[in-house]
Amino acid sequence: MNTKTLVANGILAALYIAVSMLVQPIAFSAVQFRIAEMFNHLIIFDKKYIYGIVLGVFLTNLLFSPMKAYDLIFGVGHSIICLLITILICKFIKNIWGRMIANTIVFTFMMWIIALELKLAVGLPFMFTWATTAIGEFIVLLVGMPLIYLLNKRVNFYRLITGKTKASQTF
């Protein structure tokens, strides 16, 4: 991992933690609006963002979660699985909006993992919890789409992490 990638992922992890800390009361329950989840869209620009996202999720769950052990397994696992699925899907989708939509669908659908966690940890009903966590995830990622798109226009997330132009991007 080069210095640029390491620094970008460190900043991403720190941002994920800071944003999660600000919304902590609504980030760890059956109805979740973890605003930092919008950073999951960075994976569509380069797969190297997986490190910063996963580190951010891990440290956020370690520092703030009322169910540390469960969140470190299920929450981090959910992120890793979804990010890997999105990386695979992005090999076939070239359009930024298409990638963000696919990413949103993957993360929303896969919230069953978090619903299972909440069922096992605190006995919440699985289907209801899957619906409520999925709705929260969907809203955050949907609102995050134009924000990340506009930030990319200003920052260029691919170049930020690689130093290369878009023409050499590979997935």
Side-chain angles (χ1 to χ4, degrees), residues 142-161:
L142 190 67
V143 169
M145 286 172 54
L147 294 174
I148 296 297
Y149 181 83
L150 291 172
L151 276 172
N152 182 57
K153 289 282 188 198
R154 184 90 167 128
V155 176
N156 191 332
F157 292 119
Y158 179 73
R159 188 178 61 218
L160 180 69
I161 201 162

Side-chain angles (χ1 to χ4, degrees), residues 6-23:
L6 186 63
V7 170
N9 276 294
I11 291 169
L12 174 56
L15 284 170
Y16 191 102
I17 295 164
V19 171
S20 295
M21 183 180 69
L22 293 174
V23 296

Side-chain angles (χ1 to χ4, degrees), residues 75-154:
V76 174
H78 171 262
S79 293
I80 292 170
I81 291 167
C82 292
L83 291 167
L84 291 174
I85 291 169
T86 298
I87 288 169
L88 289 173
I89 289 171
C90 284
K91 290 182 180 193
F92 305 101
I93 303 171
K94 301 304 175 197
N95 177 281
I96 288 176
W97 288 104
R99 286 178 169 194
M100 281 199 248
I101 290 167
N103 188 46
T104 299
I105 292 168
V106 168
F107 269 90
T108 300
F109 175 76
M110 296 299 287
M111 288 303 284
W112 68 265
I113 296 171
I114 305 304
L116 178 61
E117 169 193 1
L118 292 168
K119 177 166 180 48
L120 295 173
V122 293
L124 293 176
F126 176 78
M127 292 303 289
F128 176 76
T129 308
W130 185 10
T132 59
T133 56
I135 289 167
E137 187 79 357
F138 180 77
I139 290 169
V140 167
L141 290 171
L142 190 67
V143 169
M145 286 172 54
L147 294 174
I148 296 297
Y149 181 83
L150 291 172
L151 276 172
N152 182 57
K153 289 282 188 198
R154 184 90 167 128

Side-chain angles (χ1 to χ4, degrees), residues 4-103:
K4 225 179 216 289
T5 302
L6 186 63
V7 170
N9 276 294
I11 291 169
L12 174 56
L15 284 170
Y16 191 102
I17 295 164
V19 171
S20 295
M21 183 180 69
L22 293 174
V23 296
Q24 184 180 0
I26 59 171
F28 295 98
S29 61
V31 179
Q32 296 184 7
F33 290 97
R34 193 181 286 196
I35 307 301
E37 285 288 287
M38 75 175 61
F39 295 131
N40 290 334
H41 284 310
L42 295 181
I43 200 70
I44 70 151
F45 298 101
D46 194 282
K47 61 186 173 186
K48 293 176 188 168
Y49 281 112
I50 194 170
Y51 305 113
I53 297 167
V54 171
L55 181 60
V57 171
F58 176 82
L59 291 173
T60 295
N61 290 341
L62 181 66
L63 297 170
F64 306 119
S65 174
M67 304 180 303
K68 283 183 190 359
Y70 281 97
D71 269 338
L72 289 173
I73 295 167
F74 287 90
V76 174
H78 171 262
S79 293
I80 292 170
I81 291 167
C82 292
L83 291 167
L84 291 174
I85 291 169
T86 298
I87 288 169
L88 289 173
I89 289 171
C90 284
K91 290 182 180 193
F92 305 101
I93 303 171
K94 301 304 175 197
N95 177 281
I96 288 176
W97 288 104
R99 286 178 169 194
M100 281 199 248
I101 290 167
N103 188 46

